[in-house]
Amino acid sequence: MSNKKEKKLISIVAEIFIIDIQLRGYSREYIRYSSKTKLASRLLRSNHFDVTEALEDFFSSFDRDIRTYSCIVKCNGEVEAIAAKAFKMTIIDKPEEFKKISLLDIRANEQNVGAETSLERYLLISELKAKDPFQARERLYNALNAQNALRQFLQHRSTLSFARICLVKDDETHGEIRVRDPINVMLRGQTQKSLTSGFVEKQADFISAYRKLDEKSKSSIFSAVRYHKEAMDSLAVENQLVDLWAALEGFVPQPLDSSPRIGSVLDHILPAQTLIYLEKKFSYVAEGIQRASDATTAIVESIDIPGSFVRKTAAIILCPEFEKNLNQLMPLLGGSPLLRFRMFQLYEALSTRQKVGDELQRHRQRLDRQLCRIYISRNTVMHSATVHSDIDILVENLHSYLDILVNATICIAKQSAGKTNINAVLKILSTYEKSYLDMLLKSQKKDEPFSKTDFGDVFFEYANPLLKSITLT
């Protein structure tokens, strides 16, 4: 973890740069795409290259005015002449001006909107003005959805079905890129592992907890599950936001006095988020190390610490005793600069109990502010039918908060000796959170570095009821 000042400076510059180019109109996807193709790919190919040349190539990706794009997507159906003119749409059978048109025939393209049969024709939209190809893709699908929305309003049926993958061509450079429709916001943050594993165990835990809840709590938890389903089924972020907020607000108990509802919601949500926050951070890094190579996995597994891979990952980052192992690990992660940087951030923020406590309190403040933004955005959608530009991020965060809260409630309720209710469970979580923060901030060793015998305090591992991946066996 050398060159700390330089790393902090790079971090600050990177944050400023990303904020600046987003304000200039570039999409987050394009920023990630440029970082991957112009920087990360060079690191994967070679450890030795001209840094100045690489950075100039990367920065050139954002030195452009509004460009004109043509987008093509496979479809079935018809577009009326007046709509085709308004949206500059053309349906054709054999496009010839796209060199990479065969990319639209890849099997994954059969995931489509509104089609029960395979898609045989092509829909072309020309003269799309955008900063980057991903933004052009957004405008393509906005036009398609607008056309269908108009038809459904007038005739209560849709006549156009289309694929979730399109081809975008820069009309000036003639460069073409295959772009997938953005992933459903409700699936962001989910991994293949989380989507496919543990269903039987999770179902058993839910049933066990459900049986111990009183009737009012049973109704609340199923109401949350039902609204969660509605959000999952919808492709409109506005509907997802409203459904998730209804699930959340209906799940937590009503305030006993006339205090604002948002204050009560915040009080109930935050403890569960605090208790699992650092487990999530280290789990993400551990997964990155395991994906990097067998060699990186072997280094972490070799350290003299019992327990799960996530626990060993925390030890190798936080404990000075394993500095030698860490120095062996870091060069092998040269092709993953973001992962290396996140490891550095974890060490900087969590090297003592005082720092951990301060980070958890900052996290609570960030969550508090974000939940207030979500509440305001939900009210804006409901009362003025307008949408904030970052609504997708708000939906992603709100989904995470709801999942964590409901799963935490299930975890505590299933351990109850007798009947319980959601309000009692949330009070238990609040007590655990207070004990966690007191253990960190009131310790006589709060300013001392962690060692291999006590680094588990980072997670409150000997008392935290919500931990899953931090195990001693």
Side-chain angles (χ1 to χ4, degrees):
M1 297 293 178
S2 58
N3 302 321
K4 294 179 182 179
K5 291 183 179 179
E6 288 83 354
K7 289 179 180 177
K8 287 182 179 179
L9 180 60
I10 291 172
S11 172
I12 294 170
V13 172
E15 289 179 6
I16 294 172
F17 174 72
I18 291 172
I19 292 170
D20 180 65
I21 56 179
Q22 283 186 298
L23 290 174
R24 291 171 184 262
Y26 294 98
S27 65
R28 295 171 66 196
E29 283 180 281
Y30 181 66
I31 297 170
R32 287 195 295 268
Y33 172 79
S34 299
S35 301
K36 181 179 179 180
T37 57
K38 300 294 181 67
L39 295 179
S41 61
R42 289 177 184 259
L43 285 169
L44 289 172
R45 291 195 303 267
S46 173
N47 289 328
H48 304 286
F49 56 87
D50 189 319
V51 176
T52 302
E53 179 184 335
L55 289 174
E56 287 178 349
D57 186 31
F58 172 67
F59 290 137
S60 69
S61 301
F62 308 100
D63 184 18
R64 53 201 289 169
D65 296 321
I66 295 291
R67 296 200 177 192
T68 304
Y69 294 90
S70 297
C71 298
I72 192 164
V73 61
K74 295 195 77 173
C75 73
N76 270 338
E78 298 293 338
V79 179
E80 288 74 12
I82 189 170
K85 183 177 180 180
F87 293 109
K88 296 180 180 178
M89 295 179 179
T90 306
I91 291 183
I92 52 182
D93 293 320
K94 293 182 179 181
E96 298 178 355
E97 60 269 34
F98 286 82
K99 296 179 180 179
K100 299 181 179 180
I101 195 66
S102 60
L103 292 177
L104 295 185
D105 292 324
I106 295 175
R107 182 71 178 172
N109 195 45
E110 293 304 314
Q111 298 177 352
N112 52 68
V113 176
E116 297 180 358
T117 59
S118 61
L119 304 175
E120 303 295 340
R121 307 185 75 191
Y122 297 88
L123 185 144
L124 171 67
I125 297 187
S126 56
E127 299 181 31
L128 283 170
K129 304 292 184 182
K131 273 278 193 178
D132 60 66
F134 295 89
Q135 192 179 87
R137 180 274 317 276
E138 289 292 313
R139 294 179 180 175
L140 163 72
Y141 284 107
N142 286 343
L144 294 175
N145 289 323
Q147 194 276 337
N148 269 349
L150 178 60
R151 185 60 181 264
Q152 286 174 318
F153 177 75
L154 296 175
Q155 292 192 315
H156 289 77
R157 67 187 182 92
S158 174
T159 59
L160 183 67
S161 53
F162 49 88
R164 304 302 298 268
I165 298 172
C166 66
L167 202 61
V168 181
K169 182 173 74 172
D170 187 318
D171 290 343
E172 179 183 341
T173 66
H174 302 291
E176 298 175 12
I177 178 174
R178 177 179 178 264
V179 185
R180 183 181 294 274
D181 190 33
I183 188 172
N184 187 331
V185 175
M186 291 292 292
L187 295 178
R188 285 186 188 173
Q190 302 295 325
T191 63
Q192 189 65 25
K193 181 179 179 181
S194 67
L195 291 171
T196 58
S197 65
F199 172 74
V200 174
E201 181 182 352
K202 292 175 184 177
Q203 187 178 50
D205 289 345
F206 182 91
I207 293 172
S208 175
Y210 182 78
R211 288 171 175 167
K212 294 182 179 181
L213 293 173
D214 63 16
E215 292 304 315
K216 184 177 179 181
S217 296
K218 287 179 179 178
S219 176
S220 294
I221 199 167
F222 256 109
S223 176
V225 170
R226 186 174 64 254
Y227 277 112
H228 181 275
K229 174 191 177 298
E230 294 301 324
M232 289 290 297
D233 290 344
S234 177
L235 294 178
V237 288
E238 300 93 330
N239 292 343
Q240 292 169 346
L241 181 70
V242 172
D243 287 332
L244 289 174
W245 188 265
L248 183 66
E249 192 166 347
F251 183 79
V252 300
Q254 295 284 338
L256 298 177
D257 53 24
S258 58
S259 59
R261 177 63 168 148
I262 182 62
S264 173
V265 171
L266 291 171
D267 289 341
H268 290 306
I269 290 175
L270 293 177
Q273 317 298 322
T274 302
L275 288 166
I276 73 157
Y277 173 57
L278 295 182
E279 181 185 31
K280 286 176 62 180
K281 301 282 275 188
F282 280 103
S283 294
Y284 185 87
V285 168
E287 288 177 10
I289 293 173
Q290 287 178 309
R291 285 196 303 267
S293 69
D294 291 339
T296 56
T297 301
I299 290 174
V300 176
E301 290 283 16
S302 70
I303 68 171
D304 183 25
I305 288 291
S308 63
F309 189 84
V310 179
R311 190 171 189 271
K312 290 174 180 284
T313 298
I316 201 172
I317 292 173
L318 298 178
C319 302
E321 296 99 314
F322 302 117
E323 183 176 0
K324 181 179 178 181
N325 304 84
L326 185 61
N327 289 337
Q328 293 174 343
L329 175 65
M330 296 303 279
L332 299 179
L333 300 174
S336 306
L338 183 58
L339 177 60
R340 286 164 55 99
F341 179 65
R342 283 177 172 154
M343 293 170 67
F344 168 74
Q345 282 187 312
L346 288 175
Y347 174 77
E348 282 291 290
L350 309 172
S351 57
T352 68
R353 289 169 181 78
Q354 180 68 52
K355 287 184 176 181
V356 175
D358 292 342
E359 173 61 21
L360 290 174
Q361 290 179 324
R362 284 193 297 270
H363 181 59
R364 289 185 104 262
Q365 292 169 357
R366 290 192 295 266
L367 288 175
D368 190 308
R369 290 193 294 267
Q370 189 71 337
L371 281 162
C372 287
R373 292 189 195 102
I374 292 169
Y375 181 64
I376 292 169
S377 183
R378 173 262 184 195
N379 289 343
T380 303
V381 170
M382 293 292 294
H383 302 305
S384 61
T386 56
V387 177
H388 291 173
S389 61
D390 62 346
I391 188 172
D392 61 323
I393 299 173
L394 301 182
V395 170
E396 181 183 357
N397 292 160
L398 180 56
H399 182 202
S400 173
Y401 304 155
L402 177 65
D403 281 4
I404 290 170
L405 181 64
V406 174
N407 284 323
T409 302
I410 292 170
C411 179
I412 299 298
K414 73 175 183 179
Q415 300 174 38
S416 174
K419 282 287 185 180
T420 187
N421 58 65
I422 291 174
N423 192 35
V425 168
L426 297 179
K427 288 180 178 179
I428 290 171
L429 290 171
S430 181
T431 301
Y432 275 116
E433 182 198 34
K434 184 179 184 303
S435 299
Y436 185 13
L437 293 172
D438 285 348
M439 180 271 294
L440 294 166
L441 297 173
K442 295 181 179 180
S443 170
Q444 294 182 346
K445 301 190 295 181
K446 65 180 182 179
D447 294 318
E448 297 178 12
F450 288 108
S451 70
K452 66 179 185 179
T453 60
D454 62 11
F455 75 95
D457 288 354
V458 168
F459 309 105
F460 196 36
E461 70 175 355
Y462 294 102
N464 193 332
L466 303 186
L467 294 182
K468 293 182 178 180
S469 59
I470 308 296
T471 60
L472 292 170
T473 57

